[in-house]
């Protein structure tokens, strides 16, 4: 069947009326990839929900299409967000498709190159602040409170509504909910959205159960795990470099209600997982996404995830967003040789 985007597909579960414009860049319908090599090594049944294959390369498209459709329905002409990069790329793309103005606040120097390029080429007006994401979000909330501008961060409830469709897809693709859903946590909107989606599918008896939710923050930005606001969050995974998550309660609630937990992984664990999934499974996701696989590895090792479990690891963003990190952590530069067969053979055979 023809794919028409998440609003059309899941409109029965979304705040969609006759007046809601059917906005789409054909987001959603992302593959659930069976990780055949890692499954065998870990003794579990592991799948990646590969959200990096959305139109702007991250899961943010699911929430943004809904937020922009509702903004358009309400007559809004301007949207605004704070972002570590992916939200701004998605906002800029959907605003472009709807002829809206898009204003973006990012932390100067802490946004991956590809994400900045996207926001700019889609025509957003980008302001870089001398501060972090949490400070940017505070400013955006203050401005959108006073001005006729629609806030499209995940504190906008339509964002959560759109993002919950990823949980629906996981159930549709697996035939039921998995035993464990493992996900990176930054501003905590996505774990909140997945949990809402899993509960709704179960309430409608489309799935027979809900998964145990395991969320992972980066250690240097683990506000929920440490139960304190982190004024200066630090991690190589800039996507989740957030010290005061807006959906803090949503994450805590998802963990509590599902008998799961919010835990953390170090930058070393994130980078190891980042390289592992690329080399072992042929999947290139950005470092923030790799926090999810790092969480799977940690949980299998410490027994949180028992052998034989069916596990879905959410890979939130495409690796191409952040080429600098890929090059810097591998520290590999192709050697240049003369354009001759002999020279190449000497190099590869010796
Ligand atoms: N993974 C990626 C690739 C992200 O970009 C984000 C958040 C997350 C995970 C965490 O999701 O915030 O819902 O807990 N990025 C936001 C942004 C903050 O501005 O693009 P979350």
């Amino acid at each position: 069947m023809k794919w028409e985007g998440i609003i059309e597909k899941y409109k029965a579960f979304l705040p969609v009326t006759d007046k809601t414009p059917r906005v789409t860049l054909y987001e959603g319908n992302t593959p659930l990839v069976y990780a055949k090599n890692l499954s065998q090594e870990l003794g579990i049944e592991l799948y990646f929900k590969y959200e990096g294959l959305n139109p702007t390369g991250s899961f943010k498209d699911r929430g943004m299409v809904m937020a922009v459709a509702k903004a358009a329905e309400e007559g809004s002409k301007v949207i605004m967000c704070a972002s570590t990069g992916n939200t701004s790329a998605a906002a800029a793309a959907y605003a472009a498709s709807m002829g809206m103005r898009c204003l973006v606040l990012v932390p100067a120097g802490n946004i991956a190159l590809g994400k900045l390029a996207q926001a700019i080429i889609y025509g957003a007006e980008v302001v870089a602040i001398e501060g972090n994401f949490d400070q940017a979000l505070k400013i955006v909330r203050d401005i959108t409170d006073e001005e006729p501008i629609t806030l499209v961060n995940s504190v906008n409830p339509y964002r959560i509504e759109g993002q919950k469709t990823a949980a629906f897809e996981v159930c549709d693709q697996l035939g039921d909910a998995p035993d464990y859903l493992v996900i990176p946590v930054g501003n905590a909107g996505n774990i909140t959205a997945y949990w809402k989606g899993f509960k709704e599918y179960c309430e409608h008896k489309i799935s027979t159960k809900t998964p145990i939710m395991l969320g992972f923050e980066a250690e240097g930005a683990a506000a929920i795990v440490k139960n304190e606001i982190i004024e200066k969050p630090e991690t190589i995974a800039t996507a989740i470099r957030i010290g005061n998550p807006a959906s803090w309660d949503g994450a805590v609630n998802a963990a509590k209600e599902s008998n799961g937990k919010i835990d953390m992984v170090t930058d070393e664990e994130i980078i190891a997982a980042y390289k592992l999934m690329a080399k072992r499974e042929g999947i290139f996701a950005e470092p923030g996404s790799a926090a999810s696989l790092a969480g799977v590895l940690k949980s299998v090792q410490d027994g949180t995830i028992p052998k034989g479990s069916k596990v879905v690891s959410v890979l939130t963003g495409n690796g191409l967003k952040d080429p600098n990190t890929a090059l810097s952590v591998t520290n590999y530069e192709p050697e240049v040789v003369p354009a001759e067969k002999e020279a190449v053979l000497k190099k590869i055979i010796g």
Side-chain angles (χ1 to χ4, degrees):
M1 209 184 77
K2 193 167 138 228
W3 182 257
E4 295 177 277
I6 62 132
I7 292 185
E8 193 52 40
K9 169 78 180 177
Y10 293 111
K11 57 181 182 252
F13 294 89
L14 295 171
V16 173
T17 69
D18 294 347
K19 295 197 188 66
T20 312
R22 298 300 195 263
V23 181
T24 193
L25 289 172
Y26 302 91
E27 62 294 318
N29 195 24
T30 57
L32 188 71
V33 181
Y34 178 58
K36 62 181 193 324
N37 300 316
L38 290 173
S39 288
Q40 196 169 24
E41 278 167 44
L42 298 172
I44 59 173
E45 197 180 316
L46 177 64
Y47 298 85
F48 291 123
K49 183 61 174 160
Y50 194 13
E51 290 288 277
L53 295 185
N54 273 296
T56 78
S58 87
F59 71 98
K60 304 286 183 180
D61 293 337
R62 294 178 187 275
M64 200 55 71
V65 70
M66 198 64 243
V68 166
K70 294 307 275 187
E73 183 178 342
E74 288 154 15
S76 175
K77 302 260 186 298
V78 192
I79 63 171
M80 185 172 194
C81 65
S83 184
T84 58
N86 282 323
T87 298
S88 63
Y94 285 91
S97 89
M98 291 302 285
M100 290 176 172
R101 189 172 168 207
C102 179
L103 310 169
V104 164
L105 237 62
V106 297
N110 279 295
I111 155 170
L113 190 66
K115 302 174 187 180
L116 184 61
Q118 286 180 291
I120 292 170
I121 197 79
Y122 291 132
E125 293 158 59
V126 182
V127 180
I129 64 157
E130 292 169 335
N132 59 35
F133 171 85
D134 304 290
Q135 293 166 295
L137 182 56
K138 166 92 176 56
I139 295 168
V140 169
R141 290 177 95 150
D142 288 348
I143 291 174
T144 53
D145 272 349
E146 291 158 13
E147 305 290 332
I149 300 173
T150 305
L151 170 70
V152 294
N153 280 103
S154 57
V155 288
N156 175 330
Y158 298 127
R159 282 277 313 280
I160 303 293
E161 289 300 308
Q163 281 174 212
K164 77 185 179 190
T165 61
F168 298 164
E169 285 182 16
V170 166
C171 295
D172 291 343
Q173 290 166 317
L174 273 183
D176 203 346
D179 300 323
Y180 293 86
L181 191 286
V182 188
I183 186 167
V185 173
N187 212 25
N190 210 26
I191 188 170
T192 303
Y194 267 84
W195 183 236
K196 187 166 196 290
F198 283 124
K199 281 198 297 189
E200 287 181 13
Y201 245 34
C202 202
E203 279 155 19
H204 285 83
K205 300 200 165 32
I206 301 170
S207 56
T208 68
K209 59 175 185 180
T210 52
I212 293 170
M213 304 287 290
L214 302 177
F216 286 87
E217 298 182 292
E219 187 180 39
I224 300 173
V225 175
K226 295 177 180 165
N227 198 24
E228 62 184 29
I229 292 169
I230 297 177
E231 299 291 344
K232 292 198 165 69
E234 272 312 335
T235 167
I236 190 166
T238 52
I240 53 172
R241 187 173 171 272
I242 295 172
N244 186 13
S247 298
W248 190 312
D249 294 344
V252 169
N253 184 54
K256 202 172 110 206
E257 286 186 1
S258 73
N259 290 317
K261 64 176 170 185
I262 310 298
D263 198 350
M264 61 187 177
V265 283
T266 64
D267 277 8
E268 291 70 32
E269 290 170 315
I270 288 173
I271 293 308
Y274 172 68
K275 292 178 175 172
L276 188 71
M277 69 176 121
K279 249 194 119 166
R280 206 78 110 242
E281 299 291 349
I283 293 186
F284 186 23
E286 63 170 287
S289 307
S292 162
L293 177 59
V296 171
L297 299 175
K298 180 175 179 180
S299 304
V300 168
Q301 196 155 42
D302 69 16
T304 302
I305 297 180
K307 299 278 175 193
S309 302
K310 195 177 277 196
V311 180
V312 171
S313 162
V314 182
L315 300 184
T316 46
N318 198 300
L320 291 170
K321 295 240 182 200
D322 188 1
N324 292 338
T325 299
L327 292 174
S328 71
V329 302
T330 46
N331 204 11
Y332 180 96
E333 239 185 81
E335 196 178 317
V336 179
V337 300
E340 289 156 11
K341 183 177 148 197
E342 291 312 316
V344 174
L345 275 176
K346 192 166 160 224
K347 191 71 219 131
I348 61 178
I349 295 172

